[in-house]
Amino acid sequence: MADYVLSCCSTADLPAEYFAERNVAYTCFHYNMDGKEYPDDLGKSMPFDEFYRRIADGAQPTTSQVNVQQYLDYFEPFLKEGKDVLHLAFSSGLSGSYNSACIARETLLETYPDAKLYIVDTLGASSGYGLLVDAAADLRDSGKSIDEVYAFVEENKLNLHHWFFSTDLTSYIRGGRVKPVAGFFGTMLKICPLLNMNNEGKLIPRLKCRGKAKAIDEIVAKMLQHADGGADYSGKCFISQSACFDDARIVADRVEAAFPKLNGKVMINSIGTVIGAHTGPGTVALFFFGDKRGE
């Protein structure tokens, strides 16, 4: 077993069972709904179906990142035990949590100067961030050192593609990612925006698809265009979804048919409560390794 800790945040949107089975530590973001604060604890405090139902009924949750003190409290027990830590952080393009982790690191290294505490800005989110964590766990389990895994993640993080579409623009309009007038007409015309994450870890609208079927066609086409090896892609593929499992299953079936050399079945996860507070229900996100992401 590796003598270091592989770590991430709850916003990697993987199941609690996955983290336990793969021996990956995690710390939680938080969100506030209807005046009460909850941890983003992978659906334990509030099941995902209830969370998205409440949003559909009009709830407007707000989110808070992992702050410096929480990171100090989270990292220090590992360092006290003499364990090094490789922490993969949520994209700095979407949150300040990476910066908070770096401040905590500098503080802790004053007390533990011989420790290795690596912080990676993954420039990723949701199960795309999770797929990078998965690759790091595979390398760790193959015997790679913390330095080797850290180098791999830094070198390959921009090869992790994130593509999203949504059939419900309500939360995107509320969060400012879609302008109200455009959102009104988009909803009337059943426009499904296709977005991806750029090389700065920010979500960028790329296409306006007329209808869900077109969005599904386009998201699979983007994987064929960008995946490592094209249709011969032999890596893993993750999908995350917010209260629209049937749509995610259609995308997964299309991917499995288009990429016969895929490493196992497509893993479908729930978009967690922090990211889901911004997407709302109706979002499907597709993640895979491919060419370098650009602007």
Side-chain angles (χ1 to χ4, degrees):
M1 182 176 291
D3 58 356
Y4 58 92
V5 175
L6 179 60
S7 164
C8 66
C9 297
S10 57
T11 45
D13 286 351
L14 295 168
E17 297 78 15
Y18 173 93
F19 287 122
E21 291 171 3
R22 298 305 309 269
N23 192 28
V24 175
Y26 67 93
T27 186
C28 294
F29 277 56
H30 291 79
Y31 66 98
N32 187 293
M33 179 177 272
D34 297 329
K36 182 178 178 179
E37 185 175 84
Y38 300 86
D40 177 37
D41 56 3
L42 317 178
K44 295 177 186 176
S45 296
M46 185 183 297
F48 295 128
D49 56 354
E50 178 183 349
F51 176 79
Y52 287 112
R53 177 188 58 75
R54 288 170 69 169
I55 291 178
D57 289 343
Q60 299 184 21
T62 58
T63 61
S64 58
Q65 65 193 35
V66 183
N67 60 35
V68 174
Q69 187 59 53
Q70 186 178 348
Y71 272 125
L72 289 170
D73 295 341
Y74 172 67
F75 290 139
E76 188 165 25
F78 298 130
L79 303 185
K80 275 187 175 179
E81 294 176 4
K83 295 180 179 179
D84 296 326
V85 179
L86 172 57
H87 179 74
L88 278 62
F90 186 58
S91 173
S92 64
L94 298 175
S95 167
S97 62
Y98 166 71
N99 186 57
S100 295
C102 289
I103 294 171
R105 175 185 183 275
E106 295 305 313
T107 301
L108 288 167
L109 290 182
E110 293 177 3
T111 305
Y112 305 93
D114 296 327
K116 290 181 179 178
L117 176 51
Y118 293 142
I119 311 295
V120 177
D121 180 1
T122 63
L123 302 173
S126 194
S127 296
Y129 171 20
L131 185 52
L132 192 63
V133 171
D134 180 79
D138 285 345
L139 289 172
R140 177 205 59 194
D141 293 349
S142 74
K144 299 296 184 183
S145 69
I146 188 172
D147 297 281
E148 290 173 312
V149 179
Y150 173 65
F152 170 87
V153 172
E154 286 288 8
E155 182 178 350
N156 290 276
K157 62 188 182 183
L158 287 180
N159 292 90
L160 203 296
H161 280 255
H162 303 56
W163 288 92
F164 303 74
F165 72 81
S166 182
T167 58
D168 186 338
L169 302 182
T170 305
S171 293
Y172 289 86
I173 296 168
R174 185 183 302 142
R177 298 191 187 281
V178 175
K179 294 180 179 179
V181 173
F184 172 78
F185 286 106
T187 300
M188 293 292 291
L189 298 172
K190 297 185 177 180
I191 297 296
C192 297
L194 185 67
L195 307 89
N196 81 333
M197 187 163 281
N198 71 0
N199 59 355
E200 295 180 343
K202 298 177 180 179
L203 289 179
I204 307 295
R206 300 298 186 184
L207 292 172
K208 296 177 182 178
C209 302
R210 186 73 177 270
K212 181 169 59 179
K214 180 62 174 177
I216 291 172
D217 288 343
E218 289 291 346
I219 203 170
V220 176
K222 291 299 183 185
M223 185 169 175
L224 283 164
Q225 179 184 351
H226 293 286
D228 186 15
D232 289 328
Y233 178 67
S234 58
K236 296 180 182 179
C237 176
F238 286 0
I239 287 175
S240 59
Q241 53 82 31
S242 56
C244 53
F245 180 84
D246 290 346
D247 292 341
R249 184 67 260 170
I250 291 170
V251 175
D253 290 344
R254 290 278 299 274
V255 167
E256 289 168 3
F259 298 89
K261 298 180 182 179
L262 203 65
N263 182 358
K265 295 291 186 179
V266 174
M267 181 178 179
I268 302 177
N269 303 306
S270 290
I271 293 177
T273 48
V274 162
I275 295 176
H278 300 280
T279 68
T283 291
V284 175
L286 176 67
F287 311 102
F288 56 90
F289 281 97
D291 53 10
K292 290 287 183 186
R293 282 155 37 195
E295 296 181 1

